[in-house]
């Protein structure tokens, strides 16, 4: 069940946080996981941690927002390791810089682009690079890590981030309709508040989470591991909330 032996999975932004948890989960199901990150030390340490557990991983350093780098790097990866069977679009937030929350009316237009670049263009670049091969081979899984901010309005100063995350959800829905007959599924996961957010911010929100705690990288990994599996082959174009019950509809 949920065996990924023989599959190659690419997880973007997998050097830390949710992406690393997802990479651990996919590798524990038997996949060779390519740990991408914009920060070389993170990609290398993520791959080393997986290998230390007796699973298969390789590090790959590039920026998902750089279309040329994505195309060239994925081409090189496929030459070295074979086809990418599973893509997890995880790199997000504000990209390589810290997330600064601000009400839209107070936001600076020069700061908008970084959210759209990493959370929407990054997803488009990576998905566009792997999709033709997946369709040719008749099997593929594209899973995009989105956010509660991408499915509903929140008064926490993340409107541009949320707009980009909403775009990534609908991108998966549309592509799913185009590639379903080729054996490729495309889904999105809307994570709730996870344990990588600052404690000061989380403290006020935890009481409103029905499960009573923040989400973990393992929580993100389990849902991704299922959607990546053979068993999830009839599930596509969907958004799954992994949020401790914060969005019960
Ligand atoms: N943390 C949360 O509460 C939360 C909630 C909802 C959704 N999410 C989403 O989950 C995903 C992971 O979040 P996280 O909190 O684990 O993030 P994180 O910031 O802890 O880790 C993200 C990783 O991506 C890498 N990265 C950043 N920009 C990159 C780029 N351009 N190319 C390649 N790698 C890049 C970073 O170096 C980092 O290692 C993101 O898409 C985020 O939007 C997070």
């Amino acid at each position: 069940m949920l065996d990924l032996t023989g599959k190659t999975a690419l997880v973007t932004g997998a050097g830390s946080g949710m992406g690393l948890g997802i990479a651990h989960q996919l590798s524990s199901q038997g996949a060779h996981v390519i740990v991408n990150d914009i920060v070389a030390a993170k990609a290398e340490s993520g791959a080393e941690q997986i290998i230390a557990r007796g699973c298969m991983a390789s590090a790959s350093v590039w920026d998902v927002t750089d279309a040329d780098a994505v195309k060239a790097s994925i081409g090189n990866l496929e030459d070295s390791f074979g086809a990418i069977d599973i893509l997890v679009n995880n790199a997000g937030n504000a990209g390589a810089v810290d997330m600064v929350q601000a009400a839209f009316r107070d936001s600076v237009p020069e700061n908008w682009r970084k959210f759209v670049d990493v959370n929407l263009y990054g997803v488009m670049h990576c998905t566009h690079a792997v999709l033709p091969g997946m369709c040719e081979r008749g099997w593929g899984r594209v899973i995009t890590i989105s956010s509660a901010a991408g499915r509903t309005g929140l008064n926490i100063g993340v409107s541009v981030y949320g707009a980009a995350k909403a775009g990534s959800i609908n991108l998966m829905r549309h592509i799913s309709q185009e590639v379903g007959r080729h054996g490729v599924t495309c889904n999105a996961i809307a994570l709730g508040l996870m344990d990588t957010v600052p404690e000061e911010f989380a403290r006020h929100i935890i009481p409103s989470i029905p499960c009573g705690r923040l989400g973990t990288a393992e929580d993100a990994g389990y849902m991704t591991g299922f959607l990546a599996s053979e068993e999830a082959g009839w599930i596509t174009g969907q958004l799954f909330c992994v949020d401790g019950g914060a969005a019960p509809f």
Side-chain angles (χ1 to χ4, degrees):
M1 281 281 282
L2 312 184
D3 183 20
L4 298 178
T5 304
K7 304 284 190 210
T8 300
L10 167 61
V11 185
T12 67
S16 64
M18 302 305 119
L20 183 54
I22 290 166
H24 273 297
Q25 178 61 31
L26 298 181
S27 67
S28 73
Q29 289 174 228
H32 170 208
V33 177
I34 296 161
V35 178
N36 157 263
D37 208 282
I38 194 171
V39 180
K42 287 186 176 185
E44 282 151 18
S45 130
E48 281 162 15
Q49 288 176 48
I50 291 171
I51 292 166
R53 286 179 35 246
C55 298
M56 281 184 294
S58 306
S60 185
V61 183
W62 35 273
D63 177 352
V64 299
T65 71
D66 180 340
D68 292 338
V70 171
K71 206 169 166 206
S73 305
I74 290 182
N76 290 339
L77 288 169
E78 297 203 318
D79 289 344
S80 306
F81 304 118
I84 306 290
D85 304 296
I86 299 159
L87 167 66
V88 183
N89 290 306
N90 168 78
N93 287 331
V97 297
D98 286 343
M99 178 87 125
V100 176
Q101 293 164 237
F104 184 71
R105 68 179 182 280
D106 301 324
S107 69
V108 182
E110 293 75 46
N111 288 339
W112 297 344
R113 186 169 297 278
K114 63 174 179 277
F115 292 110
V116 180
D117 274 348
V118 70
N119 292 289
L120 185 53
Y121 269 97
V123 175
M124 291 197 281
H125 294 150
C126 297
T127 306
H128 194 254
V130 300
L131 212 50
M134 288 179 174
C135 289
E136 260 171 45
R137 293 185 300 275
W139 202 95
R141 300 282 184 266
V142 180
I143 301 151
T144 293
I145 305 303
S146 190
S147 167
R151 60 167 292 282
T152 191
L154 297 168
N155 186 14
I156 56 171
V158 294
S159 50
V160 179
Y161 165 77
K165 285 301 202 194
S168 75
I169 294 169
N170 233 28
L171 182 72
M172 292 298 104
R173 290 188 177 121
H174 279 279
I175 298 173
S176 72
Q177 304 303 292
E178 300 172 1
V179 300
R181 287 191 185 276
H182 299 280
V184 180
T185 68
C186 302
N187 291 291
I189 295 172
L191 295 179
L193 202 62
M194 310 305 281
D195 62 5
T196 49
V197 297
E199 203 265 331
E200 171 61 22
F201 173 65
R203 193 170 350 120
H204 306 289
I205 300 181
I206 293 171
S208 69
I209 302 172
C211 288
R213 65 168 174 86
L214 299 175
T216 65
E218 288 76 22
D219 293 319
Y222 295 140
M223 176 57 92
T224 308
F226 172 63
L227 291 175
S229 71
E230 190 63 43
E231 286 83 350
W234 207 52
I235 300 170
T236 194
Q238 302 302 310
L239 172 66
F240 296 91
C241 297
V242 174
D243 63 359
F249 54 88

